[in-house]
Amino acid sequence: MAALGGNGGLPFDPQLLLNFENTWDASKVQLLDHLITLMYSGDQSQRSVAHEVLTRVKTHPESWRAVDTILATSSSADTKFFALNVLENVICTRWHVLPDDQKNGIKSYVVQLVIKISADEQFASTQKHFLTKLNETLVNIVKQEWPRSWESFIPDICGSSRTNQSLCENNLRILNLLSEEVFNFGKNQMTSSKVSTLKNSLNAQFSTIYELCTFVLKSHISQPGSVKTSLVMTTLSTLANFLEWIPIGYVFETDLIQTLLCHFWDPLEFRIDCVKCLNEIACLHEGVQQYQPQLVRCFQGCIEKIQQLPENMPEAVANAPGQQKIFWEVFHNQVALLLTGFLKHNMAAMEAQQAYMIPALKYLVRITTAPNEETFKICVEFWQTFSARIFLEIQQRRSAGPAASAPLLLLDGAPNQAARADGLAAVQAKMKLYSPILAEIRRVLIARMAKPPEVTIKENEEGHIVRAEEEDTDEIALYKMIREALIYLTHLDPANMENIMLQRLSEECLQEHTVEHWSPTLLNRLCWAIGSISGAMQESSEKRFLVSVIKDLLSLCEMKRGKENKAVVASNIMYVVGQYPRFLRAHWKFLKTVIFKLCEFMHETFPGVQSMAVDTFLKICQKCKKKFVTMQKDETKIFIEEMREQLEQDISELEHLHICTYFEAVGHMISAAAPEVKPRLVSMMLDIFNKRWAYIINLLSNNDPIEALKDTSTLREISLILRVNERMVSAVGAACHEQLSSFYNQMLNIYKVCSDFISHSVAQQGSQIIQHTQVRYMRNVKRDTLRLVQTFVDLAATPEGTQEIRCTVAQVAQRFIPPLLEPVLADYKSNVPQARDAEVLDLLATLASRLSESISSEVAKIFEMVVGCTCDMIKGDFQSFPDHRTKFYDLIKALNTHCFQSLFYLPEAQLKLYVDSLIWALKHEQPQVADTGLSILQQFLERLLQMPAQVYNSFFNLYYFPVLQDVLCVLTDTFHKSGFKLQQQILQQLLSVAAMNVAPEIAPKQKVMEFLFDLIGKSFPTLHRSQVEIFVLGCFTKVRQPQEFQQHLRDFLITLKEWGSHEDYFYEEERQAALRDAQASDTQWRMQVPGLVPQHDPLRAAENDMDDL
């Protein structure tokens, strides 16, 4: 333990625990107890040392020999768990290298220990957690030994279960664990062939397990009280898990369903487990067509049982005492799954049973009102599916006729009137039947509407104003489900939806005098629901509905007292109005009033109101933009010109980030104008900022620019002007070229002044000066400059953009790029890493994407000035400069996609830098970077193989084997699992080069196979050479079948977790099969090429026989 330095701060020599040559005794076990105690309760240094020692004990190849002594001697539960972990480790990783007598010894010891503990009911209850861990250990042995070396496992465990109820209960848990390991988690822990073998064995021997389960249940039925309650519950729970995969005959050709309903629903202690079993049956859908009568009887039986429950039970649960409440919440959760399982998977059959269907739906409505969130989500998902099904059926019936086989909603042709009438009559009857239920569910969903995703406008650390949508949380997923359900429910009965919403809103308005009834939460939910159904009504109905809603909300705003209450109502008004652009477009006067009202709210200082106002303003401008640049009835000028008169006043109290959003909205207005008008409107609306810019330029011209720019207020003003222009460009696009041209050179001069000042300051005072306020504001100006140019190029250098401004992409590049590129690249290279702006990488990526032909000649310069120094910044570790590393690979991707051929004109050192940067990305621990690197390399190889042979031969000559080795490295380590699919594709591409003889002089098939064999053999000494041979042969056999190749790799990665057997015979059968597959694959490939197989070759015998016919 040299690394620990003596005893590593422990009161004893830890080397004693690493000596397994001598038999362990009680004194060593005491030392282990002490070490494990330190692991959990010692100080930081003691825990660190204890962790290292315990890891070395666990991984020691002989440590398992001490497990029996530790379990027999130690009184510490933690130590016993550690001992079982040691044993589990050897079973999972070194089982195949153990001699048979040792394997049999371990197996016998674990089995006997399980029987000893589980057969004693009192001992089993006190050692519950230890017994669970012991069961897991036994299941790991079973996975290794059964069925090949332990054929009698299932009969043995089922036979012993009849001798002792406590033992039987534990044996059922073991069988349940085995089922989960095989059917639920198997593909990640075992090879596909092993999983298949175990599944087949379980299915083949399931009759024995089923007999055991029915024996327990029938014993309980025939002699009540003779079987332990816990054993019956365990049997039902185990059976529920088995029902996912057992042969379907065991469900429908036995009395299982009748047994469950008659004997295990009514007793409360068995009810939840009984419902779980029935739920699994309800969800069966493959192969159940022949058992429809039995399934329907099962549904009827369940509904009859549910109808016996108290009607108000779901509502009463909220007030039930602790344990009762938990029981009924879990029960209702399971009932929700049961009913929705029946209805979703077998809807047509269940609908035919109207006497049972309606009670089922009514109970589901009641469950939906219950407070439990998980149950509510299950129900919402069902109501969404159910309402969609009815809506689509109506659409189909309306279009029914000769084209009835066409997809829903896409039917055309002359309909059969009689068939249509019958179909519509059937649907109308169904709607009449379901109408009360759907009306109730509308009320429930409106009352519990989830919050819609919010858009947050904020300034990030680099000073960039971003509009970030909320991450996709459970709340947003729930909102999307409820929204879709409400839309379908609106289509089914818009009048009912309208009445419910207006009634709710009226209740809010009429309760002014009873303050305790005022609930902002209920109003918010109601308005979110109102906003969510936009577009679902006929336009005339929507108009009437929305006018009533806005009228009531405005009345409510007048009635409420206090800024906070008024702000709640105002935000809801803005939200609702923003959700109905169709109504706004159709009612100009109302739209104009809304815009003026939003401008009023922009002066409101209550937190959140200004943000909501500008965001709603932006939404409306995006959806109604044409209305603002078109002359409207009774108006003397277009609205945007009228807005200009109040512009300064409107933005006077807004923060900078809100001003930017305001001008983005104005930009959307201008984007709808005629092309010849756009430049004038841009200039007009930005006139206020153009004047401010002219004043600043005049100030810089008449004074020392550096001194003038030391004023932070001037820098903030420049930043705001640039950001406003960038937001305007993002909305208007190429039409801003005149506006940008008017100050482009001046902007670049300011960029250069700021760059020089920062470089000079860093040279004189060191990198800490970067945090100085003045320098930070100057860096903001530089970043804002880069973003403005990037946004303009991204939108202008497109076919639409160039057509609008009547010039070519090359002309755009010629006008804006040369004056920019030199100062930006030079500044980036010369600055210290901390002062380099990641936005430069963003800009270059956009230039490469949009100006590929014009920028290709600059690729070598970009590598020289940017790529090299950025690599140096980020390759030292995986954490520093996170923005640079992400944007760096975006740049590499853009160059790879749009300037591909120019990469092969790079000097050899720069091409190597390119390849090295990709290889380094593959090894990155940040998944986003690693996946980007893999994606680029995959695309690069794909395009490379489409190039002339001399190009890819030249590349492969230098990089084929290094890249192959590095890809295998990341594929087989445990840190880059997320990139498996791309890693597999790249490996497949590389091996295809050899398999298909693409580069025979550089990567012949035999040489590549030998390279792989040597590389894997040296890298993984735990593998037997036959395992390596099987893997390599399999790679080349399956290289033309992506799915099989992927599964082959998955199996190999699982194999790496275990030590291979030293015995050749263990793998010989599999090895011979791999050789046969390889030979067959090669033969098939050769036969596809005419003439490749000689005419008298035996392979052509069958072909010659056919010719004789």
Side-chain angles (χ1 to χ4, degrees):
M1 296 283 300
L4 296 175
N7 292 349
L10 300 178
F12 59 89
D13 184 1
Q15 286 286 359
L16 293 171
L17 294 177
L18 296 170
N19 181 7
F20 292 95
E21 292 179 5
N22 301 322
T23 306
W24 271 48
D25 55 18
S27 61
K28 274 194 177 182
V29 174
Q30 284 181 348
L31 294 181
L32 183 62
D33 285 340
H34 185 64
L35 190 67
I36 288 174
T37 302
L38 290 178
M39 177 69 192
Y40 291 107
S41 59
D43 59 34
Q44 182 63 40
S45 62
Q46 288 174 326
R47 286 202 301 271
S48 176
V49 173
H51 179 268
E52 184 178 340
V53 175
L54 290 173
T55 301
R56 293 179 65 176
V57 170
K58 181 180 175 181
T59 54
H60 195 287
E62 300 298 322
S63 59
W64 64 273
R65 296 177 182 276
V67 168
D68 57 341
T69 304
I70 296 170
L71 293 179
T73 310
S74 177
S75 57
S76 164
D78 291 332
T79 304
K80 289 182 177 182
F81 261 73
F82 174 76
L84 287 180
N85 276 328
V86 170
L87 191 57
E88 192 173 56
N89 181 60
V90 78
I91 293 167
C92 292
T93 62
R94 303 181 63 85
W95 189 255
H96 295 309
V97 300
L98 297 178
D100 286 345
D101 60 327
Q102 291 182 1
K103 287 194 278 193
N104 291 330
I106 293 173
K107 182 168 72 175
S108 175
Y109 173 74
V110 172
V111 168
Q112 293 304 319
L113 190 57
V114 168
I115 293 172
K116 177 184 173 183
I117 295 175
S118 62
D120 185 332
E121 184 176 351
Q122 186 175 358
F123 193 29
S125 64
T126 59
Q127 299 284 320
K128 189 179 293 184
H129 297 300
F130 176 69
L131 182 57
T132 301
K133 185 66 179 175
L134 198 57
N135 289 343
E136 291 173 6
T137 306
L138 177 57
V139 168
N140 281 316
I141 295 174
V142 172
K143 282 157 57 180
Q144 298 284 10
E145 293 284 281
W146 179 71
R148 182 165 65 177
S149 304
W150 194 358
E151 291 182 20
S152 62
F153 168 70
I154 295 291
D156 288 351
I157 195 169
C158 291
S160 66
S161 298
R162 296 172 186 254
T163 61
N164 179 297
Q165 288 194 29
S166 181
L167 179 63
C168 179
E169 187 175 338
N170 190 64
N171 285 352
L172 283 168
R173 291 198 189 100
I174 291 169
L175 290 169
N176 189 24
L177 270 175
L178 179 61
S179 168
E180 288 177 346
E181 286 291 312
V182 173
F183 286 94
N184 297 48
F185 315 120
K187 71 174 185 178
N188 295 321
Q189 298 175 358
M190 296 179 280
T191 63
S192 56
S193 59
K194 190 172 185 178
V195 170
S196 177
T197 300
L198 293 182
K199 283 182 178 179
N200 292 335
S201 300
L202 263 177
N203 271 298
Q205 299 187 17
F206 183 71
S207 59
T208 310
I209 301 173
Y210 185 78
E211 286 170 10
L212 173 62
C213 292
T214 52
F215 170 75
V216 174
L217 298 180
K218 294 290 170 68
S219 298
H220 167 76
I221 294 166
S222 60
Q223 293 180 295
S226 64
V227 180
K228 287 167 47 187
T229 300
S230 61
L231 174 55
V232 177
M233 291 171 70
T234 302
T235 305
L236 290 171
S237 175
T238 305
L239 194 57
N241 284 337
F242 288 161
L243 284 167
E244 290 182 41
W245 54 265
I246 65 175
I248 205 165
Y250 286 104
V251 178
F252 297 113
E253 295 175 13
T254 65
D255 62 350
L256 175 63
I257 295 173
Q258 197 65 20
T259 301
L260 291 170
L261 284 169
C262 293
H263 300 285
F264 297 99
W265 179 291
D266 293 330
L268 288 180
E269 62 268 29
F270 304 138
R271 186 176 291 178
I272 289 175
D273 290 311
C274 173
V275 176
K276 285 180 181 177
C277 290
L278 292 167
N279 175 36
E280 292 299 335
I281 295 170
C283 292
L284 294 173
H285 53 279
E286 289 185 12
V288 298
Q289 288 72 21
Q290 59 180 315
Y291 298 110
Q292 283 291 336
Q294 294 93 322
L295 194 65
V296 168
R297 282 199 292 275
C298 180
F299 176 64
Q300 293 171 341
C302 291
I303 300 306
E304 287 167 0
K305 290 292 184 183
I306 288 171
Q307 285 181 301
Q308 294 170 14
L309 298 170
E311 277 199 17
N312 67 336
M313 182 55 73
E315 295 85 350
V317 167
N319 302 317
Q323 286 303 312
Q324 266 193 335
K325 181 178 180 180
I326 293 170
F327 171 84
W328 285 108
E329 281 187 347
V330 173
F331 172 69
H332 284 134
N333 184 274
Q334 289 301 317
V335 169
L337 289 169
L338 172 67
L339 294 177
T340 57
F342 271 123
L343 298 177
K344 279 198 293 190
H345 296 294
N346 300 279
M347 176 69 83
M350 304 309 147
E351 271 193 319
Q353 311 297 314
Q354 288 190 3
Y356 295 92
M357 180 75 174
I358 298 303
L361 292 174
K362 285 182 176 177
Y363 202 78
L364 263 178
V365 172
R366 289 205 291 275
I367 292 177
T368 310
T369 64
N372 185 275
E373 200 66 30
E374 287 306 311
T375 306
F376 178 68
K377 288 176 184 175
I378 293 166
C379 295
V380 169
E381 186 181 359
F382 168 75
W383 293 119
Q384 177 200 14
T385 307
F386 182 68
S387 55
R389 177 190 167 91
I390 299 173
F391 169 73
L392 294 174
E393 188 176 346
I394 291 172
Q395 296 297 108
Q396 187 180 35
R397 296 290 188 186
R398 284 176 180 164
S399 306
S405 61
L408 294 179
L409 303 181
L410 296 175
L411 302 172
D412 52 19
N416 181 310
Q417 296 298 329
R420 174 188 283 191
D422 291 344
L424 284 175
V427 172
Q428 286 167 357
K430 185 185 291 188
M431 277 299 300
K432 187 175 180 181
L433 194 66
Y434 292 153
S435 187
I437 293 167
L438 297 179
E440 189 57 36
I441 207 62
R442 288 184 189 101
R443 292 187 182 91
V444 175
L445 295 183
I446 290 168
R448 297 188 64 174
M449 184 65 189
K451 185 180 180 182
E454 283 186 344
V455 175
T456 308
I457 306 167
K458 60 184 180 181
E459 187 173 347
N460 65 16
E461 292 176 357
E462 288 77 38
H464 190 195
I465 292 170
V466 292
R467 301 181 75 254
E469 289 198 9
E470 274 186 68
E471 292 181 9
D472 201 6
T473 59
D474 286 346
E475 179 83 359
I476 293 174
L478 182 60
Y479 165 78
K480 289 176 180 176
M481 272 201 298
I482 299 179
R483 176 184 170 274
E484 287 190 19
L486 286 174
I487 285 173
Y488 287 123
L489 290 166
T490 303
H491 280 295
L492 295 176
D493 193 345
N496 182 251
M497 182 68 84
E498 181 180 345
N499 290 337
I500 292 171
M501 287 181 166
L502 290 177
Q503 183 186 354
R504 288 281 171 89
L505 193 53
S506 298
E507 288 170 4
E508 285 294 324
C509 295
L510 292 173
Q511 290 172 347
E512 166 62 17
H513 301 296
T514 50
V515 178
E516 64 273 14
H517 287 299
W518 161 243
S519 172
T521 302
L522 286 178
L523 181 66
N524 287 340
R525 286 179 176 169
L526 176 57
C527 290
W528 296 336
I530 290 169
S532 73
I533 63 168
S534 171
M537 293 180 179
Q538 293 289 333
E539 194 165 353
S540 58
S541 303
E542 186 177 274
K543 174 185 174 181
R544 181 185 65 247
F545 170 61
L546 194 59
V547 166
S548 299
V549 168
I550 299 298
K551 182 181 175 183
D552 285 352
L553 286 174
L554 288 171
S555 300
L556 188 61
C557 195
E558 291 296 320
M559 290 162 58
K560 292 301 169 190
R561 299 289 176 265
K563 272 198 168 187
E564 188 171 346
N565 287 332
K566 284 184 177 293
V568 169
V569 182
S571 66
N572 279 305
I573 293 171
M574 288 188 281
Y575 176 74
V576 170
V577 167
Q579 296 302 110
Y580 283 85
R582 182 173 67 174
F583 174 82
L584 296 175
R585 287 194 296 267
H587 300 86
W588 165 248
K589 294 290 185 187
F590 186 78
L591 172 57
K592 187 176 178 181
T593 304
V594 166
I595 296 298
F596 285 147
K597 196 69 181 173
L598 290 173
C599 291
E600 283 181 32
F601 286 141
M602 290 177 197
H603 297 280
E604 177 56 65
T605 55
F606 190 83
V609 175
Q610 286 186 349
S611 180
M612 187 80 179
V614 294
D615 195 51
T616 305
F617 180 51
L618 175 61
K619 275 194 225 172
I620 292 173
C621 290
Q622 286 171 329
K623 295 294 184 181
C624 308
K625 49 192 173 187
K626 283 188 179 178
K627 308 300 289 185
F628 303 114
V629 292
T630 307
M631 185 66 72
Q632 302 298 325
K633 186 180 178 183
D634 299 329
E635 300 289 351
T636 57
K637 58 177 77 171
I638 58 174
F639 182 75
I640 194 168
E641 292 177 347
E642 188 177 340
M643 265 189 73
R644 174 62 187 90
E645 297 166 7
Q646 301 296 321
L647 183 66
E648 291 184 59
Q649 183 183 338
D650 289 343
I651 66 172
S652 60
E653 295 184 56
L654 293 178
E655 297 175 21
H656 280 193
L657 60 95
H658 293 143
I659 291 173
C660 292
T661 305
Y662 179 94
F663 277 93
E664 183 181 351
V666 171
H668 282 288
M669 290 183 183
I670 296 172
S671 69
E676 63 273 11
V677 178
K678 288 182 186 179
R680 178 181 68 81
L681 293 178
V682 169
S683 178
M684 177 185 78
M685 297 306 288
L686 291 179
D687 181 57
I688 176 178
F689 291 105
N690 290 341
K691 287 176 180 175
R692 291 186 193 179
W693 180 267
Y695 172 79
I696 292 170
I697 294 301
N698 186 52
L699 182 69
L700 297 178
S701 301
N702 296 329
N703 299 281
D704 179 0
I706 291 180
E707 289 301 319
L709 288 175
K710 284 182 180 179
D711 181 2
T712 54
S713 62
T714 302
L715 290 170
R716 277 177 56 82
E717 186 78 8
I718 294 171
S719 253
L720 176 61
I721 294 168
L722 295 175
R723 290 175 185 183
V724 166
N725 273 277
E726 191 271 335
R727 290 291 81 203
M728 181 67 79
V729 169
S730 72
V732 180
C736 288
H737 73 289
E738 288 183 14
Q739 167 68 14
L740 185 58
S741 298
S742 68
F743 66 91
Y744 189 70
N745 291 329
Q746 297 165 346
M747 175 180 72
L748 293 182
N749 287 336
I750 293 176
Y751 181 95
K752 196 167 186 317
V753 170
C754 291
S755 298
D756 291 343
F757 178 81
I758 294 170
S759 299
H760 183 70
S761 300
V762 170
Q764 284 193 327
Q765 303 177 51
S767 58
Q768 68 274 8
I769 193 67
I770 292 169
Q771 299 306 318
H772 193 274
T773 305
Q774 210 172 49
V775 174
R776 280 196 294 110
Y777 280 129
M778 284 191 174
R779 292 192 70 193
N780 281 348
V781 168
K782 289 174 62 184
R783 289 166 175 157
D784 293 330
T785 301
L786 296 168
R787 288 190 199 106
L788 174 54
V789 179
Q790 179 194 346
T791 305
F792 176 75
V793 171
D794 194 34
L795 295 171
T798 61
E800 300 80 13
T802 52
Q803 185 179 356
E804 185 172 359
I805 58 178
R806 296 174 184 169
C807 66
T808 63
V809 171
Q811 287 171 328
V812 172
Q814 186 60 35
R815 168 68 187 86
F816 291 99
I817 303 312
L820 170 84
L821 213 52
E822 189 59 42
V824 168
L825 297 184
D827 170 63
Y828 188 90
K829 185 177 183 182
S830 62
N831 257 323
V832 295
Q834 294 84 350
R836 290 179 185 143
D837 299 313
E839 285 72 15
V840 171
L841 304 172
D842 255 348
L843 172 63
L844 292 174
T846 301
L847 295 181
S849 301
R850 294 298 186 198
L851 310 174
S852 52
E853 291 184 14
S854 304
I855 208 71
S856 290
S857 58
E858 306 289 343
V859 168
K861 185 184 287 185
I862 290 172
F863 267 82
E864 180 189 347
M865 308 287 275
V866 172
V867 174
C869 59
T870 307
C871 267
D872 293 338
M873 285 168 60
I874 63 177
K875 70 183 181 184
D877 57 51
F878 291 128
Q879 287 82 35
S880 56
F881 305 107
D883 284 343
H884 287 77
R885 70 184 64 237
T886 302
K887 291 174 180 179
F888 172 75
Y889 283 102
D890 289 340
L891 168 60
I892 295 294
K893 186 174 184 178
L895 292 171
N896 187 67
T897 305
H898 301 282
C899 306
F900 181 74
Q901 293 193 356
S902 63
L903 295 173
F904 297 97
Y905 294 101
L906 292 173
E908 189 175 316
Q910 291 184 354
L911 182 59
K912 185 177 186 305
L913 177 64
Y914 175 81
V915 176
D916 287 347
S917 68
L918 292 184
I919 297 302
W920 188 79
L922 308 191
K923 300 176 181 179
H924 205 288
E925 62 184 24
Q926 199 177 46
Q928 183 185 355
V929 174
D931 289 350
T932 303
L934 287 165
S935 176
I936 297 168
L937 181 57
Q938 192 267 339
Q939 185 190 47
F940 175 83
L941 291 173
E942 186 178 318
R943 295 189 65 179
L944 176 67
L945 290 169
Q946 295 169 4
M947 299 285 282
Q950 63 267 28
V951 176
Y952 61 68
N953 278 334
S954 173
F955 179 84
F956 285 146
N957 190 42
L958 293 171
Y959 301 111
Y960 181 86
F961 288 102
V963 171
L964 179 60
Q965 180 170 339
D966 285 317
V967 170
L968 266 173
C969 173
V970 294
L971 178 70
T972 53
D973 70 24
T974 56
F975 304 111
H976 299 90
K977 291 182 180 179
S978 64
F980 172 75
K981 188 173 181 181
L982 284 168
Q983 294 161 5
Q984 167 244 317
Q985 289 174 0
I986 293 168
L987 183 62
Q988 198 171 355
Q989 285 174 312
L990 291 170
L991 296 186
S992 294
V993 170
M996 297 179 183
N997 222 23
V998 173
E1001 295 182 3
I1002 298 160
K1005 181 177 177 180
Q1006 191 61 34
K1007 182 180 178 182
V1008 174
M1009 292 178 82
E1010 290 170 3
F1011 174 81
L1012 286 176
F1013 187 85
D1014 291 341
L1015 176 64
I1016 294 169
K1018 291 173 183 174
S1019 302
F1020 302 101
T1022 57
L1023 295 178
H1024 188 277
R1025 66 187 311 278
S1026 292
Q1027 289 177 289
V1028 182
E1029 188 177 355
I1030 291 164
F1031 170 66
V1032 174
L1033 287 169
C1035 282
F1036 281 88
T1037 303
K1038 304 174 194 299
V1039 75
R1040 297 181 185 89
Q1041 293 93 34
Q1043 293 301 320
E1044 291 184 24
F1045 186 81
Q1046 185 180 90
Q1047 189 59 58
H1048 183 62
L1049 289 185
R1050 286 188 186 280
D1051 289 348
F1052 178 66
L1053 294 178
I1054 290 167
T1055 306
L1056 291 179
K1057 298 175 184 177
E1058 303 181 34
W1059 283 65
S1061 171
H1062 297 314
E1063 304 296 334
D1064 289 347
Y1065 74 86
F1066 194 84
Y1067 303 106
E1068 187 57 27
E1069 184 180 338
E1070 195 175 348
R1071 177 177 166 275
Q1072 291 297 332
L1075 284 169
R1076 287 194 297 273
D1077 288 346
Q1079 186 175 1
S1081 175
D1082 186 59
T1083 300
Q1084 184 181 1
W1085 173 252
R1086 289 166 63 81
M1087 288 290 286
Q1088 289 176 5
V1089 182
L1092 198 59
V1093 177
Q1095 293 299 318
H1096 299 287
D1097 193 289
L1099 292 172
R1100 288 187 176 273
E1103 182 185 85
N1104 294 335
D1105 289 345
M1106 290 295 293
D1107 287 345
D1108 287 344
L1109 292 178

